[in-house]
Amino acid sequence: MLHDIVKIGILTSKDKIRKSISGYLLTIVLNEDYSFQSLEIEQFQPERIDRYLYQEGASKGNKTSPIAPLTEAQKTLIKITKWFESCLKLQDINPEDQKVFQKIYETLINNEQNIINSIQEKIKDISKKESKFLTIKLQDKYLGDIEIFQRIYYDQQESKTKKTIAKEKICSICGQIKENVYARTSVYNFDTDDKPGFITGFKKDNYWKNIPVCEDCRESLKIGRDFIENKLSFKFYGLKYQLIIKTLSDNQEVLQEIINILKDSEKSISLKQKIVKKITDDEDEVLEYLSEQKDDVSFNFLFIQVQQSAERILLLIEDVLPSRLKKIFEAKSYVDKLYTNQNDQKFNFGKIRIFFNKSDVGKKNRDLDKYFLEIIDSTFIGKSIDFSFLVKFYMQVIRREFTEDGYYFFRIRDALMCSSFFEKLQLIQFQEVHMEKGQFDEFFAKYGKSFNTPEKRGIFLLGVLTEMLLRKQYSERNSKPFMKKLKNLKMNEIDIKGLLAEIQNKFEEYDAFDKGKRIIAQESAKYLLQAGENWKMSVDEINYYFACGMNLSEEIAKEVYQN
């Protein structure tokens, strides 16, 4: 993966991509003698980031710095003051430079309340939503314009990296012997030297052996990550992923063409206007465009979670070909067409996220992220998914909304769309069983192999009849008392078999057991008899197919009564 990021860095080295940072910069302006002059405010200019000594993408946390995001005036000022204090303790600073830091430090300490009051006055008319930063200027110069500040700041940034230096060793990326190689890339913060188990030979002195990287490759890594961070980072329903593009040959033209489109603002906007289909919730998604490329490139999906100053890989999906993306979009189109009459809802991974978000709506954290990531992984690499695993989570949501008399019909439809999507991609397999021809063969064929056994069809049609009865009850009594018989959708085989007679009796009581309903009842009874005893179905699966029948009852009714 690092090799691919280096390639991207080399191809984008001429055009450094900056994050779109906006907001205000509050500057503590000092006189020539380093005394306090005033506090000024200006627009934050991304092109001046190097002059501000602002490090893009850095998770600073409590780290001291000569520039900091403005939260509370006092806390932010203390953070900057501590940076100057830390510079006074450096061993390699000459006496003249030390005097400069000492004077600035004393100025900040002696004028603390004055500066805090000025900050609060300046920002009182600025919206809280606007980003604000605090830094220092020496008259009209930013700290990054002055060599001593620039050198010390970058030395501090590289201090951890330089601790792991080795001489005349082979770089793991370019394969050449270099004068200096480093263990810490300082590009992705996945590595750690505080746990011996993560170090070659379990010795800290050997840490450089983990991922030895030379200075040139390290610089290309930084540039590559900057591009990926700014142009190839996307949202994915509460998660974030980076899209790392790699070529499968020595020909870099395809990669260069993709990069040129993504880094050019006008071309990028034009691309977004052409992209119609999306499978995520990111407006900037480019997967449809990438699915149209030839299989001489592939894609890595890197899902990252940032925790303070560390980064944790949640999931890495490697070597996804454009042809695989194309299959995913074809499956999406198939599902969209199949459910076109279901309130015209389009399929995307948000439908899956509904069932793999939180095990309890009252929880603060999304405790089902692990399973959601497993399904994303299976979808992109074509790994099988256990249908009974899916149904378990479908039914958790459907039951919750069923008992609350909420939107369970919508959730049933969402589950059906997910199952059709997975089946189209051959991620879930249904072994077909020979069955006698029936009244609704054409309907069942429309939904693929989901209804592949007589018990599933019998349960489904029983769900259709139940929904018809509930609607009849509601029209007659403005209530649905028969819902109590459904045991909050936790019925077993015995419950299902006893339900058919009760439904028929209720229809007779309402004098509503007409020919259409008799046909549905006969078909359901036929399939249930054919299924025999001891079904190989969990309670979740039984109730899933029953709920599907309730949801699709109108389609069956339309077919019966039109005929």
Side-chain angles (χ1 to χ4, degrees), residues 210-231:
N210 280 16
I211 312 174
V213 179
C214 69
E215 189 62 44
D216 292 336
C217 288
R218 193 161 151 268
E219 184 59 28
S220 295
L221 274 171
K222 286 182 179 179
I223 297 170
R225 166 136 197 195
D226 282 344
F227 183 83
I228 292 167
E229 190 78 42
N230 291 290
K231 295 295 183 180

Side-chain angles (χ1 to χ4, degrees), residues 180-224:
N180 296 318
V181 296
Y182 310 89
R184 287 185 178 273
T185 64
S186 297
V187 179
Y188 286 98
N189 296 323
F190 303 142
D191 54 344
T192 178
D193 62 357
D194 60 354
K195 295 178 182 177
F198 289 91
I199 302 174
T200 301
F202 304 105
K203 294 181 179 179
K204 201 164 185 175
D205 292 343
N206 292 334
Y207 185 52
W208 66 271
K209 294 181 180 180
N210 280 16
I211 312 174
V213 179
C214 69
E215 189 62 44
D216 292 336
C217 288
R218 193 161 151 268
E219 184 59 28
S220 295
L221 274 171
K222 286 182 179 179
I223 297 170

Side-chain angles (χ1 to χ4, degrees), residues 325-367:
L325 291 179
K326 193 174 184 67
K327 285 184 179 179
I328 291 171
F329 278 99
E330 286 172 351
K332 169 192 159 49
S333 297
Y334 165 79
V335 174
D336 289 345
K337 186 177 179 181
L338 184 60
Y339 294 92
T340 187
N341 295 323
Q342 299 282 320
N343 298 327
D344 293 325
Q345 289 285 321
K346 302 297 183 184
F347 179 81
N348 52 43
F349 274 83
K351 301 293 184 188
I352 304 170
R353 187 57 151 163
I354 288 168
F355 304 102
F356 296 90
N357 191 7
K358 296 179 182 180
S359 57
D360 190 305
V361 290
K363 289 194 174 184
K364 290 183 179 180
N365 299 323
R366 297 186 305 268
D367 57 330

Side-chain angles (χ1 to χ4, degrees), residues 23-204:
Y24 294 90
L25 185 71
L26 286 86
T27 59
I28 302 167
V29 183
L30 305 183
N31 293 311
E32 190 174 353
D33 62 353
Y34 307 109
S35 61
F36 177 61
Q37 181 187 106
S38 63
L39 186 113
E40 296 179 357
I41 187 167
E42 59 188 73
Q43 287 287 332
F44 189 98
Q45 303 291 332
E47 63 273 14
R48 296 179 182 172
I49 279 177
D50 293 334
R51 297 177 67 194
Y52 299 154
L53 295 183
Y54 181 83
Q55 188 179 4
E56 281 185 275
S59 178
K60 295 183 175 60
N62 294 321
K63 186 177 179 180
T64 59
S65 170
I67 179 171
L70 181 61
T71 52
E72 294 180 31
Q74 185 176 19
K75 287 183 179 179
T76 308
L77 180 58
I78 288 173
K79 184 179 285 190
I80 291 175
T81 304
K82 282 186 175 180
W83 185 77
F84 285 92
E85 183 182 21
S86 69
C87 293
L88 292 172
K89 300 173 184 178
L90 296 174
Q91 298 295 321
D92 58 347
I93 186 170
N94 65 54
E96 288 301 314
D97 291 333
Q98 194 168 41
K99 286 180 183 179
V100 172
F101 283 99
Q102 183 68 42
K103 287 179 181 179
I104 295 174
Y105 174 69
E106 290 174 356
T107 296
L108 295 176
I109 292 293
N110 295 334
N111 293 273
E112 180 178 347
Q113 194 57 52
N114 189 10
I115 294 170
I116 291 171
N117 293 340
S118 299
I119 292 172
Q120 292 171 341
E121 180 65 26
K122 290 284 186 183
I123 65 172
K124 67 180 183 181
D125 294 327
I126 300 176
S127 170
K128 290 183 180 180
K129 294 181 180 179
E130 292 280 2
S131 297
K132 294 174 279 292
F133 302 85
L134 181 66
T135 190
I136 290 178
K137 283 175 74 173
L138 297 182
Q139 295 182 307
D140 61 343
K141 289 184 178 181
Y142 298 104
L143 294 186
D145 298 332
I146 303 167
E147 191 274 335
I148 179 60
F149 296 107
Q150 189 181 84
R151 177 173 60 81
I152 289 177
Y153 178 73
Y154 286 113
D155 280 350
Q156 287 179 337
Q157 299 299 314
E158 300 296 306
S159 60
K160 279 191 175 181
T161 300
K162 289 181 178 178
K163 286 180 182 177
T164 61
I165 193 170
K167 300 285 186 181
E168 301 297 330
K169 300 296 180 182
I170 297 175
C171 171
S172 62
I173 294 179
C174 65
Q176 299 178 19
I177 296 176
K178 292 296 181 78
E179 181 182 355
N180 296 318
V181 296
Y182 310 89
R184 287 185 178 273
T185 64
S186 297
V187 179
Y188 286 98
N189 296 323
F190 303 142
D191 54 344
T192 178
D193 62 357
D194 60 354
K195 295 178 182 177
F198 289 91
I199 302 174
T200 301
F202 304 105
K203 294 181 179 179
K204 201 164 185 175

Side-chain angles (χ1 to χ4, degrees), residues 200-379:
T200 301
F202 304 105
K203 294 181 179 179
K204 201 164 185 175
D205 292 343
N206 292 334
Y207 185 52
W208 66 271
K209 294 181 180 180
N210 280 16
I211 312 174
V213 179
C214 69
E215 189 62 44
D216 292 336
C217 288
R218 193 161 151 268
E219 184 59 28
S220 295
L221 274 171
K222 286 182 179 179
I223 297 170
R225 166 136 197 195
D226 282 344
F227 183 83
I228 292 167
E229 190 78 42
N230 291 290
K231 295 295 183 180
L232 288 171
S233 293
F234 304 96
K235 296 180 293 184
F236 205 112
Y237 300 101
L239 301 168
K240 291 183 179 179
Y241 72 93
Q242 293 181 358
L243 189 63
I244 302 169
I245 307 169
K246 60 185 289 187
T247 53
L248 303 180
S249 66
D250 294 332
N251 185 357
Q252 302 295 316
E253 290 182 9
V254 178
L255 180 58
Q256 184 70 70
E257 181 183 347
I258 294 171
I259 286 172
N260 287 342
I261 289 175
L262 294 174
K263 75 182 180 183
D264 186 300
S265 297
E266 291 185 8
K267 288 181 181 178
S268 185
I269 292 170
S270 175
L271 173 64
K272 290 172 193 173
Q273 291 172 343
K274 289 179 183 177
I275 292 175
V276 177
K277 300 173 187 174
K278 287 185 171 62
I279 55 174
T280 72
D281 58 339
D282 197 312
E283 293 181 359
D284 296 328
E285 182 194 312
V286 294
L287 296 179
E288 184 188 3
Y289 162 70
L290 296 176
S291 73
E292 296 170 355
Q293 307 304 310
K294 294 180 179 178
D295 281 352
D296 47 8
V297 293
S298 69
F299 314 107
N300 291 347
F301 292 78
L302 178 62
F303 287 81
I304 293 180
Q305 183 181 60
V306 179
Q307 294 176 323
Q308 295 179 343
S309 60
E311 292 173 313
R312 186 163 70 95
I313 297 177
L314 298 177
L315 173 66
L316 173 61
I317 309 173
E318 296 184 280
D319 298 324
V320 179
L321 295 171
S323 56
R324 181 61 190 177
L325 291 179
K326 193 174 184 67
K327 285 184 179 179
I328 291 171
F329 278 99
E330 286 172 351
K332 169 192 159 49
S333 297
Y334 165 79
V335 174
D336 289 345
K337 186 177 179 181
L338 184 60
Y339 294 92
T340 187
N341 295 323
Q342 299 282 320
N343 298 327
D344 293 325
Q345 289 285 321
K346 302 297 183 184
F347 179 81
N348 52 43
F349 274 83
K351 301 293 184 188
I352 304 170
R353 187 57 151 163
I354 288 168
F355 304 102
F356 296 90
N357 191 7
K358 296 179 182 180
S359 57
D360 190 305
V361 290
K363 289 194 174 184
K364 290 183 179 180
N365 299 323
R366 297 186 305 268
D367 57 330
L368 301 183
D369 278 356
K370 174 187 174 183
Y371 300 120
F372 184 52
L373 286 164
E374 286 179 6
I375 289 173
I376 293 170
D377 186 38
S378 296
T379 302

Side-chain angles (χ1 to χ4, degrees), residues 450-461:
S450 299
F451 302 99
N452 61 320
T453 64
E455 52 265 40
K456 291 177 182 178
R457 293 188 178 188
I459 295 166
F460 175 88
L461 292 173

